[in-house]
Amino acid sequence: MAERPAAVLLVLAPSGQRSRVALDSMPFSIGRQSGNSLVLRDNRTSRNHCRIVFENGSYAIEDLNSRHGTFVNGKQISRHVLHNSDRIEFGVRDSYQLTFSAEQQDIQRLLGQFGSVVASAGEASGAGNLIKLRSLVEVARAVAPRPKVLLLDEPSAGLNEAESRKLGETLAQFVAASGTTIMLVEHHIELVSSICAFVYVLEFGQLIAAGTPAAVRSSEAVQEAYLGRRHNVPSA
């Protein structure tokens, strides 16, 4: 009998909340009825919507004659052998989205992405780029042991917009795959929005806003303090 490798589902709820659920037991049932391995709190999904099984050395997802169907990477399936980063949806808009993650492969891939960010920062010369490179190396070292909680203090310092965007994407994927909680101190609003589920905004030591990134960005106090009243703020 093939040894079952560790795998997880990265869950994005309709509220925007993210969580990580290990595939501890097989079959792994998914639906809105209590008692399922993963309960979907959306009345549009079926009571017993689908399940994940492990057969012949691979994970596979099977639809259980659900009302709106089970979709993998945008295509409706009856049965599908799962691969790393496959996206699972339930046939209705603005519902749950699951991402299948073969855990060890995913962590190694993400650590490799940190390496590529560091390498790109090191291609240019000059004191500014050396500071940038040192900062990214420190971030890469911090995430490598997969800590439960990680405090990052302005990791985007010295990075340009493209580098900050890449760092944010990689950190967000790392959080989803590893389950690490990041406490981020940062002034780069786009980076904060891409990583954080909840944000506190301080001005001169005083709390002026708290909430989801979208709620905070729409706050008049935040716009005045950090973005300017006339700044056209896109939704997060």
Side-chain angles (χ1 to χ4, degrees), residues 22-101:
L23 298 179
D24 288 332
S25 60
M26 293 287 113
F28 186 92
S29 58
I30 301 171
R32 78 170 193 268
Q33 183 170 281
S34 61
N36 278 300
S37 307
L38 176 62
V39 177
L40 304 177
R41 303 191 184 282
D42 184 336
N43 289 333
R44 298 170 297 172
T45 59
S46 296
R47 289 183 176 86
N48 298 292
H49 200 106
C50 59
R51 68 176 186 174
I52 294 174
V53 298
F54 185 76
E55 296 176 351
N56 302 318
S58 298
Y59 287 96
I61 186 167
E62 300 173 342
D63 183 73
L64 299 177
N65 297 316
S66 62
R67 180 170 49 177
H68 296 293
T70 301
F71 292 74
V72 178
N73 302 327
K75 295 183 179 180
Q76 187 169 4
I77 59 93
S78 57
R79 189 179 192 277
H80 174 85
V81 175
L82 289 166
H83 298 91
N84 205 40
S85 300
D86 274 351
R87 186 182 73 255
I88 302 166
E89 296 170 301
F90 302 98
V92 290
R93 291 176 58 86
D94 303 320
S95 187
Y96 286 82
Q97 180 178 298
L98 314 179
T99 303
F100 174 77
S101 172

Side-chain angles (χ1 to χ4, degrees), residues 75-145:
K75 295 183 179 180
Q76 187 169 4
I77 59 93
S78 57
R79 189 179 192 277
H80 174 85
V81 175
L82 289 166
H83 298 91
N84 205 40
S85 300
D86 274 351
R87 186 182 73 255
I88 302 166
E89 296 170 301
F90 302 98
V92 290
R93 291 176 58 86
D94 303 320
S95 187
Y96 286 82
Q97 180 178 298
L98 314 179
T99 303
F100 174 77
S101 172
E103 193 171 26
Q104 190 58 35
Q105 296 176 21
D106 207 40
I107 294 298
Q108 294 303 320
R109 176 178 60 83
L110 291 170
L111 290 176
Q113 286 186 21
F114 276 109
S116 68
V117 175
V118 171
S120 65
E123 289 175 356
S125 59
N129 284 292
L130 289 175
I131 294 172
K132 179 192 305 184
L133 179 60
R134 183 170 60 186
S135 175
L136 287 172
V137 168
E138 289 174 354
V139 173
R141 285 176 175 170
V143 301

